[in-house]
Amino acid sequence: MKKTLCTLFLILSVILPFNVIEAHPGRTDANGGHTCRTNCEKWGLQYGEYHYHNGGKSSSGSSSSHSSGSGKPSSNSNPQSKQTAAPVVQKKTIVAVDKGYVFSSPYDSNAVTSLWYGYEIKDLGSGYEGYVFIEQGYISKSLLAQYDVIKPKTVKVQADKGYFFSTPSASSLTRGYAGNGAAVTVVGEGNGFYYGSTKDANGNALVGFISKTVAY
């Protein structure tokens, strides 16, 4: 009987490799290895370490799904919030009188042309203080007004008379008025005024600056 047991032990030693008999629990994959999940220190492994049971080299790194879950956020996982740039405000400069006289030079007393109220000025630069150089010549800054461009919208006059002014100031010249409820199409604003157009009580076109406290 003893001889039979010895013979059986020798047969099993040949059939089953020693490293399989001594291996820790766990099924192997198609490559003959797996990732350690149980009693890893007991077998001289780290938790999550991938290794082989067929004599191949073990891998110290776990699968990609586990390596990404190390607990440390990546450099791009929490980017600093970007500061939102302030929107660029477009400004327009217009002639603020019924006739804006233009001269060939600031020292010329004879005007070469005149521009109407609301004409948009394209400043080409000027070496003369108090003057703007445009395509037609030189025009005094005192004849101009400026406003911030806004998305066109319609407001209504909320007073018996909504007065329109030459510049965004109630102390400037009055250009006329529109009656209560008149619709005003506005395209700009500045200093508490809208810049826009409507029709006066006589049905004539009326352009200028009207206070936001009067039209809204």
Side-chain angles (χ1 to χ4, degrees), residues 33-34 44-46 49-61:
H34 69 171
L45 301 171
Q46 295 181 356
E49 181 177 349
Y50 185 89
H51 57 282
Y52 296 91
H53 279 235
N54 58 0
K57 295 181 180 179
S58 63
S59 173
S60 61

Side-chain angles (χ1 to χ4, degrees), residues 101-106 126-128 131-134 136-140:
Y101 291 104
V102 182
F103 301 89
S104 59
S105 77
S126 172
Y128 299 96
Y131 282 85
V132 174
F133 179 62
I134 60 177
Q136 295 88 343
Y138 290 86
I139 186 170
S140 173

Side-chain angles (χ1 to χ4, degrees), residues 14 18 30 82 114 126 150 152 174 208:
V14 174
F18 179 76
K82 296 181 180 179
S114 63
S126 172
I150 63 173
T174 303

Side-chain angles (χ1 to χ4, degrees), residues 25-215:
R27 297 181 179 180
T28 58
D29 56 21
N31 297 319
H34 69 171
T35 301
C36 182
R37 300 297 185 195
T38 306
N39 298 327
C40 301
E41 293 80 3
K42 178 180 177 181
W43 306 103
L45 301 171
Q46 295 181 356
Y47 180 82
E49 181 177 349
Y50 185 89
H51 57 282
Y52 296 91
H53 279 235
N54 58 0
K57 295 181 180 179
S58 63
S59 173
S60 61
S62 59
S63 63
S64 60
S65 61
H66 293 284
S67 62
S68 61
S70 61
K72 296 181 180 180
S74 64
S75 59
N76 295 327
S77 61
N78 187 25
Q80 294 181 351
S81 58
K82 296 181 180 179
Q83 295 182 351
T84 303
V88 178
V89 178
Q90 181 185 359
K91 294 182 179 294
K92 281 191 177 183
T93 303
I94 61 169
V95 175
V97 292
D98 288 335
K99 287 186 177 182
Y101 291 104
V102 182
F103 301 89
S104 59
S105 77
Y107 307 108
D108 194 349
S109 58
N110 296 318
V112 294
T113 188
S114 63
L115 304 175
W116 57 91
Y117 181 87
Y119 183 91
E120 184 179 349
I121 295 296
K122 299 294 185 181
D123 189 355
L124 302 179
S126 172
Y128 299 96
E129 184 177 357
Y131 282 85
V132 174
F133 179 62
I134 60 177
E135 184 179 356
Q136 295 88 343
Y138 290 86
I139 186 170
S140 173
K141 290 182 179 180
S142 64
L143 306 180
L144 308 177
Q146 192 175 70
Y147 63 83
D148 297 336
V149 177
I150 63 173
K151 183 178 181 179
K153 64 179 181 179
T154 301
V155 296
K156 288 187 177 182
V157 175
Q158 306 293 336
D160 290 338
K161 292 182 179 180
Y163 287 94
F164 283 69
F165 298 90
S166 299
T167 69
S169 171
S171 62
S172 63
L173 293 176
T174 303
R175 297 186 52 77
Y177 67 87
N180 191 308
V184 183
T185 301
V186 296
V187 295
E189 63 183 6
N191 197 32
F193 283 75
Y194 281 125
Y195 176 75
S197 61
T198 187
K199 290 185 177 181
D200 62 17
N202 298 319
N204 298 318
L206 181 59
V207 181
F209 292 88
I210 186 170
S211 174
K212 290 184 177 181
T213 62
V214 176

